[in-house]
Amino acid sequence: MARAPAVITSVVGSFPVEEGLDRTEALAGFYAGRPVDPFEGALREAVESQVAAGIDWVSDGQVRADMITLFSAHIPGMKVADGRTTVVGAIEPPARSITRGDMLMAKRFAGDQARVKGILTGPSTIALSCAVADGYRDERDLQLVHDIARVLRREAEELIANGAVAVQIDEPFFSTGVDELTARLAAVDSIAKGLAVPVAMHVCGDVSDLMGDFLALEHVNILDHEFAASPQVLDAISRDDLEGSGKRVGYGCIRSDDATVEDVPTIVTRIRAAVSKLGAENLIIDPDCGLRVFPREVARAKLENMVKATREVGGSE
Ligand SMILES: [Zn+2]
């Protein structure tokens, strides 16, 4: 009997960071004449932990900053002070790619053990996190969203040109009830349109009431949500919805808000619920959200059990 292809496992993105420079590595770099990157060690640790757990599509761990300043610190027209971003003029694409360097570093550490996914913070989540001093009406100005989307589109192309297996656009603010959701989703679609790899949109929280809007996205291929903390979201999607719209679900099945490491049978039960409702071929298995808040060992243990559970359900290996 032909074995079904294994279900892909991935992560949402962020990974624990232990502050400070690895002194041994830094000194070695210094004597080798290489500029010292204080985050290289954290990025390496994030990638290697995911690879060791058996994740198929890993992230760079988003180790350099929070999800907003990771981008805003590099976008002309934005200024960051004390961790807060202010829009000070018209948003322009940066002269150099924001994400290319970390994508290449993550690929180097992943080697041939895993593929690397590119992650972008969505235009509305960035815009709504800013204070606006000049150039736009306020943080709700849709022109601001549109201009940030243009910057992110270029980043998506850079990520793909440098080997991203997929691109994920994070819009957690959508679950908090934003105005003009349709226009904001169109901005996400404008980033995704015509890209050569699958594009996911990640929105955590209880998005049951928003699934109809999300399914109407034209160019996003994967809807990535939390189902461990919000199992009711599964009731809001059907197999027909997915197959009719050509989408898959990123099925968050371990909690990112609770440090208890779920055991394999618990995760197997969660995955089986999704497989029987949506079909294994329509799923990508990942955690509910980023794992930044946990100690490293917890993040690792959660991913290891998630991969074991996926293999048990999928019958692979
Ligand atoms: Zn999230």
Side-chain angles (χ1 to χ4, degrees):
M1 196 176 81
R3 200 171 67 180
V7 177
I8 291 165
T9 54
S10 191
V11 292
V12 172
S14 74
F15 216 74
V17 180
E18 274 170 28
E19 292 297 334
L21 193 58
D22 179 333
R23 286 185 55 82
T24 318
E25 230 175 81
L27 275 174
F30 177 77
Y31 287 117
R34 275 188 282 127
V36 176
D37 178 347
F39 290 99
E40 181 169 334
L43 194 152
R44 178 182 199 137
E45 161 68 29
V47 171
E48 289 181 350
S49 291
Q50 296 169 71
V51 168
I55 299 293
D56 299 308
W57 293 359
V58 302
S59 78
D60 66 8
Q62 299 180 292
V63 296
R64 286 183 199 277
D66 65 86
M67 68 186 298
I68 304 300
T69 57
L70 204 51
F71 292 90
S72 63
H74 305 279
I75 299 177
M78 293 183 166
K79 250 200 171 75
V80 177
D82 300 326
R84 285 278 300 159
T85 301
T86 304
V87 176
V88 293
I91 300 301
E92 300 285 348
R96 260 196 248 156
S97 166
I98 301 168
T99 51
R100 180 173 179 273
D102 283 356
M103 165 54 69
L104 290 175
M105 205 187 276
K107 265 181 64 183
R108 180 154 56 88
F109 294 135
D112 55 10
Q113 303 283 299
R115 306 289 305 277
V116 182
K117 165 163 96 174
I119 300 168
L120 301 169
T121 304
S124 289
T125 295
I126 293 180
L128 293 168
S129 302
C130 291
V132 173
D134 203 4
Y136 301 86
R137 194 187 68 235
D138 58 25
E139 76 279 6
R140 299 205 316 276
D141 192 334
L142 289 174
Q143 187 61 44
L144 175 59
V145 174
H146 175 78
D147 290 349
I148 298 170
R150 262 183 39 230
V151 172
L152 296 171
R153 166 71 189 198
R154 290 240 315 235
E155 288 303 317
E157 289 169 355
E158 279 287 339
L159 288 164
I160 294 165
N162 288 285
V165 64
V167 169
Q168 176 183 296
I169 302 165
D170 290 341
E171 285 284 26
F173 275 42
F174 284 173
S175 68
T176 64
V178 294
D179 55 0
E180 315 233 41
L181 180 63
T182 307
R184 293 176 184 283
L185 287 169
V188 172
D189 247 345
S190 75
I191 300 169
K193 188 178 179 182
L195 292 179
V197 300
V199 180
M201 181 179 76
H202 167 74
V203 187
C204 39
D206 180 358
V207 295
S208 309
D209 295 341
L210 303 173
M211 283 314 302
D213 297 290
F214 294 170
L215 283 161
L217 280 159
E218 210 177 323
H219 303 289
V220 168
N221 321 97
I222 301 165
L223 300 177
D224 187 87
H225 304 296
E226 63 170 47
F227 294 85
S230 302
Q232 66 275 21
V233 178
L234 190 55
D235 300 330
I237 325 172
S238 72
R239 190 174 186 138
D240 285 349
D241 288 337
L242 293 178
E243 291 173 357
S245 63
K247 291 187 185 2
R248 284 183 281 173
V249 156
Y251 185 70
C253 63
I254 54 172
R255 293 189 65 146
S256 48
D257 61 345
D258 181 343
T260 311
V261 177
E262 294 97 329
D263 59 17
V264 174
T266 300
I267 307 170
V268 164
T269 303
R270 289 175 186 164
I271 296 175
R272 287 219 165 105
V275 167
S276 69
K277 181 135 201 266
L278 305 176
E281 67 278 22
N282 294 319
L283 299 177
I284 288 163
I285 301 297
D286 67 0
D288 274 358
C289 192
L291 303 175
R292 169 73 37 87
V293 296
F294 298 134
R296 243 180 223 180
E297 310 69 54
V298 171
R300 263 183 105 133
K302 277 183 173 266
L303 290 182
E304 279 166 15
N305 283 359
M306 186 187 85
V307 171
K308 283 182 197 155
T310 305
R311 287 176 179 167
E312 198 173 313
V313 174
S316 70
E317 296 207 344

